[in-house]
Amino acid sequence: MPAFALIVLYLCLVFAPLVLAGLSGRPPRPLMDELAAGAGLVAFAILLVEFLLSGRFRAISGRVGMDVTMRFHQLLARSALALALIHPFLYTLPFNRPLPYDPTRQLTLTFEGEGLVTGVLAFALLPSLVVLSIARDKLPYRYETWRLAHGLGALAIAGLVYVHALEAGRYSQDPLMQGLWTGLVALAVLSLVFVYAIKPLAQMRHPWRVAAVRSAATRTWEVTLAPDGHDGLTYRAGQFAWLNIGRTPFSLAENPFSIASAPADGPEVRFLVKELGDFTSTLGAVEVGTRAYLDAPHGHLTLEGRREPGIAFLAGGVGIAPMFALLGQLIREEDPRPTVLVYGNRTAAQIACGEELARIRRLHRTEIVQVLSEPPPDWDGEVGLLDAARIRALFSDPKYRDWLFVLCGPPAMMEIAEDTLIQIGVAPRQILAERFRYD
Amino acid sequence: MIDIGRPHASRLRLALVFWALNLAVCAGLLLFAAR
């Protein structure tokens, strides 16, 4: 069970400094002082583990999903912060210079010079890093600026805590503990080097070219990329890519988009991109032939190994992209299972790739339910929102209990859909969902 | 933060794992401090 293995690995890494401290042979101090030291050790270990949970390592996100990886990154940051904040306040021993008759530093705390400065700086910076991440959407910075500041800030804090531990820490005086910290800090640095240098270098060897850009719907573009001098991408239908168009692969300006094409469609990959005010607003002006780079494949919204007797796809807006890929793959594989696609939009002009929907209906006999909240006068589809009442009305029939449900769309829609499906008796393991927004 | 009260199975599972990890860390810290 991969998730279980990751949990065990996490606990091993987090408890490693406590075990080394316990085995160091140094006599224990009062309970509160040992708790203080332990909190600091664990907080540092979690902080370093966070570098591996950035979502770009398929060994982790490929096993438990990008959503879960990113959520744990966010949640464990809060745990590390709480431990780091209580760490200095639990000490009860007096501050003093090392005493000649106390070689194991059992009786006093030594907190001066570099150990003091680095500790205070890290104590001030860590809350800023966490708060600025939680409030990212409310800040007047571009995502790329935040991402750079977040990476450099985290690295700076790790460096400060490293010096603080080695200078002021009692247990971090032991060579084994120093080796552990050096190893974990090196791993953290390497994780950034991997993401920001090694991956871009690898992408340079596998460039792509924009083969076509066309309007798929109002403020939604269909971008097709063709491999430039290589065989293309090995991926599964429903996965997504970090897409970088017209910039160097070292640029931080890349965004995650679902791949709307299926592997069986050929080496070209297709994306549906909605204009959201950032670089996506300039996509219409991108020229054919522009160089592009992909960090892919990522994500677990795939049908591989799923044996449910039927599949329902619930898409909101541009969330239709992975559904095109998944349904396209089912068509290519001549999968006989019944399928239903529920596709919600505000207006008819927002319906993407109408001809592809017609092709899916024709080739796979997929039942397509279109829902518009602001329909035109001649609209013959459903009217309203893709809300709980509609999902109940569509899927309350007991025959859907064993089906697989694939969700992609705005966060509010996904939450309502998941809650409602569970309420009407669909098992959580039969619901596949992937979000692209993290707080 | 995760809203643990909602009948949202995947988030509930994630929240349970998160708090179980926190509990394990607290237990480990207490064992370490009281050794």
Side-chain angles (χ1 to χ4, degrees):
Chain A
M1 187 179 170
F4 183 72
L6 288 174
I7 287 172
V8 171
L9 182 65
Y10 167 77
L11 287 175
C12 286
L13 285 172
V14 166
F15 284 141
L18 292 184
V19 172
L20 287 184
L23 297 175
S24 70
R26 290 171 186 264
R29 297 171 294 182
L31 179 88
M32 293 305 281
D33 291 81
E34 289 300 280
L35 266 183
L41 294 171
V42 172
F44 190 23
I46 297 176
L47 176 71
L48 295 172
V49 169
E50 284 282 85
F51 284 84
L52 303 176
L53 294 175
S54 67
R56 294 304 187 95
F57 295 97
R58 280 195 284 274
I60 297 170
S61 59
R63 288 167 200 268
V64 295
M66 184 66 87
D67 287 2
V68 174
T69 309
M70 293 311 298
R71 202 66 193 139
F72 267 104
H73 180 86
Q74 297 165 341
L75 292 172
L76 293 177
R78 288 147 164 101
S79 302
L81 178 63
L83 290 168
L85 289 181
I86 61 166
H87 157 66
F89 296 109
L90 295 178
Y91 283 110
T92 60
L93 290 171
F95 289 105
N96 207 333
R97 292 187 177 283
L99 303 170
Y101 52 85
D102 179 28
T104 65
R105 291 167 60 183
Q106 187 185 9
L107 305 175
T108 60
L109 299 172
T110 307
F111 195 40
E112 57 190 11
E114 285 177 18
L116 171 69
V117 173
T118 50
V120 170
L121 278 175
F123 188 83
L125 282 175
L126 186 60
S128 316
L129 190 80
V130 176
V131 170
L132 286 177
S133 304
I134 292 171
R136 195 187 80 208
D137 279 351
K138 299 175 188 71
L139 297 172
Y141 302 112
R142 289 187 311 152
Y143 169 72
E144 294 80 29
T145 312
W146 171 83
R147 193 177 154 197
L148 182 67
H150 190 71
L152 292 178
L155 196 60
I157 291 168
L160 288 169
V161 179
Y162 179 70
V163 176
H164 171 70
L166 266 52
E167 290 294 323
R170 179 183 186 231
Y171 293 111
S172 296
Q173 303 306 309
D174 292 331
L176 264 180
M177 187 76 89
Q178 290 180 357
L180 174 74
W181 292 140
T182 306
L184 286 179
V185 168
L187 205 60
V189 172
L190 276 176
S191 75
L192 291 182
V193 170
F194 178 75
V195 171
Y196 295 111
I198 296 173
K199 268 196 171 192
L201 282 171
Q203 288 171 24
M204 279 182 93
R205 290 204 306 273
H206 295 89
W208 296 72
R209 295 246 174 231
V210 174
V213 179
R214 71 177 190 95
S215 172
T218 299
R219 295 177 58 217
T220 303
W221 298 94
E222 185 185 71
V223 182
T224 306
L225 302 183
D228 187 3
H230 56 96
D231 294 336
L233 182 67
T234 303
Y235 67 103
R236 289 174 287 160
Q239 288 194 292
F240 71 89
W242 290 81
L243 175 62
N244 166 345
I245 295 180
R247 297 173 191 261
T248 83
F250 296 95
S251 167
L252 297 176
E254 53 178 4
N255 299 68
F257 295 107
S258 284
I259 302 171
S261 51
D265 292 341
E268 289 192 345
V269 291
R270 196 161 52 87
F271 297 90
L272 286 183
V273 182
K274 186 171 184 181
E275 291 182 12
L276 287 174
D278 48 13
F279 100 99
T280 53
S281 302
T282 63
L283 266 180
V286 168
E287 292 179 7
V288 169
T290 302
R291 186 156 279 201
Y293 297 98
L294 294 181
D295 176 2
H298 290 282
H300 69 298
L301 200 75
T302 68
L303 301 181
E304 216 172 61
R306 306 304 305 224
R307 299 281 172 260
E308 283 83 353
I311 307 167
F313 301 88
L314 276 67
V318 78
I320 191 70
M323 311 309 188
F324 282 146
L326 293 167
L327 282 159
Q329 192 73 15
L330 290 177
I331 291 170
R332 295 268 183 184
E333 291 171 355
E334 299 181 355
D335 191 300
R337 288 178 287 181
T339 48
V340 176
L341 169 63
V342 186
Y343 181 23
N345 279 293
R346 191 165 56 82
T347 67
Q350 290 175 331
I351 297 171
C353 306
E355 73 286 358
E356 184 149 351
L357 290 171
R359 192 178 75 91
I360 288 168
R361 193 195 309 261
R362 192 178 69 249
L363 294 178
H364 202 258
R365 290 192 294 283
T366 297
E367 179 188 346
I368 297 181
V369 181
Q370 295 248 30
V371 187
L372 291 184
S373 57
E374 296 174 20
D378 58 343
W379 178 248
D380 61 354
E382 301 274 331
V383 177
L385 295 168
L386 195 42
D387 54 11
R390 188 163 309 279
I391 292 166
R392 279 180 189 283
L394 287 167
F395 298 110
S396 284
D397 191 313
K399 76 171 182 181
Y400 294 114
R401 294 289 182 279
D402 299 328
W403 278 37
L404 176 68
F405 289 80
V406 186
L407 318 179
C408 192
M413 183 217 97
M414 307 248 291
E415 282 181 23
I416 288 171
E418 269 191 273
D419 289 351
T420 310
L421 289 169
I422 289 165
Q423 282 165 13
I424 61 178
V426 176
R429 65 178 176 279
Q430 289 162 232
I431 302 173
L432 277 180
E434 199 148 58
R435 290 169 178 77
F436 287 89
R437 288 184 61 78
Y438 311 104
D439 68 7
Chain B
M1 283 292 286
I2 283 173
D3 183 354
I4 203 166
R6 287 168 62 83
H8 196 300
S10 55
R11 273 181 295 154
L12 181 65
R13 201 165 49 222
L14 198 140
L16 286 175
V17 172
F18 171 64
W19 287 111
L21 287 176
N22 280 343
L23 210 61
V25 164
C26 289
L29 275 174
L30 280 174
L31 278 174
F32 168 73
R35 75 193 188 280

